[in-house]
């Protein structure tokens, strides 16, 4: 493996982060690194990788690649990205002018004796968490959520100019809700 | 390149970063996407790193 895909961009960025270069694939621009980043050894490595994507976002619309997305050479990269050109262009159009905000809502632990009561309270708790997240939906362009352990993890695609309104709405949801971002649109980059 | 990160590097944000870098993003179909061999080890070590955060996901 000689190439690692860092992001798919709408155009060539004004400034390329260190140790990266562009490979044009039709109307897409793949930003790649020749030196494979390899396994991250800790949080710092992940933050560095995220910073590269954020640098690109200053001048172009980007779809970040999942960690470990690699290709043998440019030819292979062109073939595989080219086959999905339309789909990726659609995703780029969706995320244009937007950032991602992560919101996590705790799900109350189930109560009661026996399986039925347990499941019933668990369902109510999940529904409640999703209801809270539903209040944020009108302020977003797209959203997705999944239950993971004791919380619902949601990702919202928010237009730059509504970010402050969105943050204010999250504040109103109250205690226990955590919110991080803005992030690059990681959760809206893959196939849906 | 010196840059002001969009997201503060907090432990809470690290949970969300791990979710995004390892679970989201563009994937190229087929054999081009090579899972990093020890990606599970990475997850485990990062979980340990953020273990002090109450919002850490429940153990599997």
């Amino acid at each position: 493996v000689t190439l690692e895909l860092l992001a798919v961009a709408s155009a060539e960025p004004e400034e390329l982060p260190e140790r990266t270069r562009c490979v044009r694939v039709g109307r897409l621009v793949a930003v790649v690194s020749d030196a494979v980043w390899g396994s991250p050894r800790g949080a710092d490595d992940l933050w560095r990788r995220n910073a590269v994507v954020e640098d690109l976002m200053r001048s172009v619309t980007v779809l970040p690649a999942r960690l470990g997305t690699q290709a043998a050479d440019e030819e292979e990269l062109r073939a595989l990205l080219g086959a999905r050109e339309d789909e990726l262009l659609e995703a780029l159009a969706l995320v244009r002018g937007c950032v991602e905000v992560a919101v996590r809502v705790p799900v109350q632990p189930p109560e009661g004796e026996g399986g039925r009561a347990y499941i019933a309270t668990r369902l109510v708790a999940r529904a409640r968490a999703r209801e809270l997240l539903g209040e944020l939906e009108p302020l977003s362009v797209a959203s997705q959520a999944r239950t993971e352990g004791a919380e619902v993890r949601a990702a919202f695609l928010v237009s730059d100019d509504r970010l402050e309104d969105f943050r204010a709405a999250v504040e109103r949801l109250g205690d226990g809700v955590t919110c991080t971002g803005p992030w690059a649109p990681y959760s809206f980059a893959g196939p849906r | 390149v010196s840059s002001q990160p969009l997201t503060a590097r907090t432990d809470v944000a690290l949970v969300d970063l791990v979710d995004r870098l390892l679970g989201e993003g563009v994937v190229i179909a087929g054999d081009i996407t090579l899972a990093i061999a020890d990606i599970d080890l990475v997850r485990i070590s990062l979980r340990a790193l953020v273990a002090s955060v109450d919002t850490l996901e429940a153990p599997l």
Side-chain angles (χ1 to χ4, degrees):
Chain A
V1 171
T2 58
L3 292 181
E4 179 147 343
L5 179 67
L6 301 174
V8 175
S10 55
E12 294 204 7
E14 281 167 18
E15 211 177 315
L16 268 176
E18 273 176 52
R19 295 188 300 139
T20 66
R21 63 189 174 88
C22 292
V23 177
R24 193 163 265 286
V25 185
R27 286 164 291 168
L28 303 169
V29 172
V31 180
V32 302
S33 166
D34 285 304
V36 167
W37 279 58
S39 305
R41 272 166 299 176
D44 283 351
D45 287 349
L46 295 183
W47 284 119
R48 263 195 290 278
R49 162 76 183 238
N50 185 60
V52 169
V53 176
E54 289 185 355
D55 282 342
L56 294 170
M57 275 176 86
R58 285 164 202 279
S59 59
V60 289
T61 303
V62 296
L63 301 173
R66 190 174 302 188
L67 197 72
T69 298
Q70 300 164 354
D73 51 30
E74 278 192 28
E75 196 184 339
E76 190 182 40
L77 184 77
R78 283 210 180 85
L80 285 153
L81 277 184
R84 294 180 47 204
E85 188 178 348
D86 290 346
E87 178 202 325
L88 291 168
L89 283 169
E90 246 174 68
L92 280 168
L94 175 74
V95 306
R96 189 181 192 89
C98 294
V99 290
E100 178 173 330
V101 180
V103 180
R104 285 184 271 142
V105 179
V107 175
Q108 294 305 313
E111 293 164 8
E113 293 289 318
R116 192 177 289 178
Y118 179 92
I119 289 168
T121 55
R122 187 174 167 87
L123 287 177
V124 168
R126 278 192 195 185
R128 173 76 191 125
R130 289 190 180 255
E131 200 181 290
L132 278 177
L133 291 169
E135 292 179 26
L136 299 174
E137 251 164 49
L139 291 165
S140 71
V141 173
S143 68
Q144 56 151 298
R146 66 171 203 280
T147 305
E148 177 121 3
E151 60 189 9
V152 176
R153 296 188 178 190
F156 292 88
L157 190 63
V158 181
S159 171
D160 284 328
D161 54 12
R162 300 199 84 172
L163 196 54
E164 287 315 307
D165 292 345
F166 190 89
R167 279 187 201 280
V170 173
E171 291 276 316
R172 289 196 294 274
L173 293 184
D175 291 344
V177 176
T178 63
C179 173
T180 67
W183 299 97
Y186 288 97
S187 306
F188 303 91
R192 293 267 72 86
Chain B
V1 181
S2 74
S3 59
Q4 188 68 36
L6 294 175
T7 300
R9 300 184 177 194
T10 62
D11 285 350
V12 175
L14 181 60
V15 176
D16 290 329
L17 177 66
V18 171
D19 267 3
R20 277 158 184 74
L21 271 179
L22 274 60
E24 304 287 351
V26 173
V27 182
I28 323 180
D31 45 358
I32 194 171
T33 305
L34 304 180
I36 289 175
D38 52 356
I39 207 123
D40 287 336
L41 290 177
V42 173
R43 272 185 192 275
I44 289 164
S45 65
L46 287 169
R47 266 186 203 158
L49 204 66
V50 294
S52 57
V53 185
D54 349 331
T55 48
L56 186 71
E57 62 196 289
L60 298 177

